[in-house]
Amino acid sequence: MNKAVFLDRDGVINIDKSYVFKKKDFQLNQGIIELLKYLIDKNFKLFVVTNQSGIGRGYFTELDFLNLTKHMKLIFEKHGVHFEEVYYCSCKPDTDCECRKPKPYLLNLGIEKYKIDVNKSWLIGDKETDILAANNAGIFNTIKVMGKEEPGVEKYTVEKLAEIKEIIK
């Protein structure tokens, strides 16, 4: 069995500027490259799991999202960071779909395909829906990056990504 870290995109990997889909608006969060390299050194597989309701709302297209995802992956690959998968839900929040967090569907895709041990795995998010999705998938090692929301059901909170190295050892 493998261990993994599932990461939300907006608010964790990059600065959340509301509906980021243009390269010029994509700005990495301070410390994300160093954190991901650290996690790879600890033999974690990395996954991105993100709600992208801007697609469903018509703010940008799925192709816009895929182009930005390609750009993001190229940035990280230059630093030796590889994501196994980037899973996303394009549905609007009021849509009763199976893939939108806090439902666990997207995490379960990675868990099943890559034979992930949920007890040794983590989720890093910035919203309660991220944490609940992990819990719903059986991942209880959760970290909320503090920003827009108050603490909730997560196991740990951090102000800065660098603090995560003290939690995941």
Side-chain angles (χ1 to χ4, degrees):
M1 299 281 290
N2 296 301
K3 58 185 182 176
V5 175
F6 294 87
L7 302 115
D8 180 48
R9 194 190 79 175
D10 301 320
V12 175
I13 291 175
N14 59 282
I15 295 172
D16 188 354
K17 298 179 181 178
S18 294
Y19 306 107
V20 175
F21 68 96
K22 295 178 183 173
K23 290 179 188 179
K24 69 178 183 72
D25 295 329
F26 186 79
Q27 183 180 354
L28 294 180
N29 266 326
Q30 185 175 0
I32 189 65
I33 291 171
E34 295 81 3
L35 173 62
L36 297 182
K37 289 172 83 170
Y38 169 83
L39 294 171
I40 289 169
D41 288 346
K42 295 288 183 187
N43 296 313
F44 285 96
K45 292 189 176 297
L46 302 177
F47 297 85
V48 176
V49 181
T50 179
N51 286 342
Q52 292 294 318
S53 69
I55 299 169
R57 295 171 196 252
Y59 298 161
F60 54 93
T61 66
E62 188 169 23
L63 183 58
D64 291 330
F65 170 77
L66 294 173
N67 285 334
L68 183 60
T69 298
K70 182 177 179 181
H71 172 71
M72 175 187 77
K73 289 167 110 178
L74 286 172
I75 291 170
F76 283 109
E77 285 171 10
K78 288 178 184 175
H79 295 280
V81 174
H82 169 75
F83 296 106
E84 300 300 325
E85 303 280 352
V86 175
Y87 294 119
Y88 66 99
C89 173
S90 61
C91 302
K92 294 189 294 187
D94 59 357
T95 305
D96 186 26
C97 69
E98 287 303 309
C99 55
R100 186 168 176 80
K101 294 180 289 181
K103 292 183 179 175
Y105 178 78
L106 296 176
L107 284 92
N108 286 337
L109 288 175
I111 290 167
E112 292 169 18
K113 181 176 180 180
Y114 292 89
K115 298 177 177 33
I116 301 300
D117 182 343
V118 295
N119 295 313
K120 294 180 180 174
S121 296
W122 292 79
L123 176 126
I124 303 169
D126 68 326
K127 294 185 177 67
E128 196 74 3
T129 53
D130 300 323
I131 306 305
L132 293 172
N135 290 173
N136 290 335
I139 298 172
F140 297 101
N141 294 318
T142 56
I143 300 170
K144 185 186 281 182
V145 179
M146 299 309 294
K148 294 182 179 179
E149 292 190 6
E150 295 295 318
V153 298
E154 66 281 338
K155 193 169 186 179
Y156 301 96
T157 61
V158 296
E159 295 294 328
K160 297 180 180 178
L161 294 176
E163 297 171 49
I164 294 172
K165 293 180 189 177
E166 299 301 315
I167 298 170
I168 302 176
K169 298 202 178 208

